[in-house]
Amino acid sequence: MIMSGLTRRLAIAALACVTLAAPAMAQDASTEPDTAMELGWVEGQADAPVTVIEYFSPTCSHCKEFAEDILPIVEETYISTGKVRFIMREWVRNSVDRTILTQARCLPKKNGLSYLKDIFARQEEIFVAAQVGTLPGTLQIVGTPYGITDREKLDACYQDMDIRFDMLEVEKSAEKYDIHATPTFIVDGTVHPATKAMMTPEGFTAFLDAELAKAAPETN
């Protein structure tokens, strides 16, 4: 069954992400196999010159800021124009994250992404619900437009072993990149923990422009 709540200590800890501003780190493997790229919620064309993987947590306040203030601009300016392929992958920090993500993964990919955006919009409400033991009811309200209309369906998603195996594969991918903070971005095998400069629309678009410049073919 779904956990009915969090301790106050865990709920407070969920309000903040791990400290920003760690340096970028290159990994041994420069790219992932194509089959691994579908480990998440994908937006954009497969042949986009730059693919960005974001590791996020539903209870991360910085991830909420990115989803609401920056991602819409990225979707309009870079993803819809074929410049960037964007992949969201979870990094589970607590039981609330796990419960939310089993619901998101229960849905078709497009609906799952919309559900996660709705979760970010109600993040403060979810923190309160976790504290007072009403999280399942709150998630049912969020999930109702997507067909998660009652506690039975909520629990079925939570207990689905196929979903848990998918989440385990994502966890393995996070270990490969040594993820330890959210949000963290991966481009061409290089890890970019979010910095304060990146966490603004202007800063993140400058980051994408620099990555696109690296990916541009050289001309004589």
Side-chain angles (χ1 to χ4, degrees):
M1 300 294 287
I2 295 175
M3 294 185 66
S4 60
L6 286 176
T7 63
R8 181 173 180 80
R9 179 179 178 184
L10 180 56
I12 292 172
L15 287 170
C17 304
V18 182
T19 305
L20 300 178
M25 297 172 286
Q27 302 299 306
D28 292 338
S30 61
T31 58
E32 294 190 12
D34 290 343
T35 54
M37 284 299 185
E38 300 304 322
L39 289 176
W41 291 270
V42 182
E43 293 187 276
Q45 301 174 12
D47 61 352
V50 168
T51 294
V52 178
I53 303 170
E54 178 202 7
Y55 283 90
F56 74 98
S57 300
T59 57
C60 164
S61 58
H62 294 307
C63 300
K64 171 183 168 70
E65 293 168 7
F66 181 84
E68 295 182 342
D69 300 337
I70 301 173
L71 185 56
I73 296 171
V74 174
E75 289 172 329
E76 179 180 357
T77 307
Y78 295 88
I79 297 174
S80 66
T81 57
K83 296 178 181 178
V84 169
R85 189 183 193 210
F86 197 87
I87 303 172
M88 292 177 61
R89 293 181 184 167
E90 66 266 29
W91 192 63
V92 178
R93 304 189 305 152
N94 52 57
S95 61
V96 174
D97 279 344
R98 183 171 293 105
T99 303
I100 289 169
L101 289 158
T102 58
Q103 307 309 301
R105 285 193 166 276
C106 215
L107 302 171
K109 286 293 183 77
K110 184 175 181 180
N111 288 349
L113 181 59
S114 296
Y115 172 86
L116 287 169
K117 291 178 180 180
D118 289 347
I119 287 291
F120 281 127
R122 304 179 77 148
Q123 193 182 75
E124 293 294 333
E125 181 182 349
I126 287 167
F127 289 152
V128 173
Q131 285 182 324
V132 301
T134 59
L135 180 64
T138 299
L139 294 185
Q140 182 180 317
I141 292 171
V142 179
T144 291
Y146 305 99
I148 304 175
T149 55
D150 54 44
R151 181 60 183 264
E152 184 178 358
K153 291 181 179 178
L154 201 75
D155 286 344
C157 292
Y158 186 80
Q159 296 166 359
D160 189 314
M161 291 308 298
D162 288 336
I163 289 173
R164 294 306 185 100
F165 285 131
D166 288 344
M167 293 174 69
L168 182 60
E169 290 302 310
V170 176
E171 182 180 339
K172 290 178 181 177
S173 77
E175 290 174 356
K176 167 188 171 182
Y177 293 117
D178 193 27
I179 302 299
H180 60 277
T182 55
T184 293
F185 304 94
I186 315 296
V187 183
D188 194 24
T190 300
V191 181
H192 301 269
T195 63
K196 290 183 179 179
M198 288 172 64
M199 291 298 288
T200 65
E202 298 80 9
F204 200 80
T205 56
F207 166 71
L208 290 180
D209 288 341
E211 294 299 326
L212 284 164
K214 294 178 190 176
E218 295 183 3
T219 55
N220 294 326

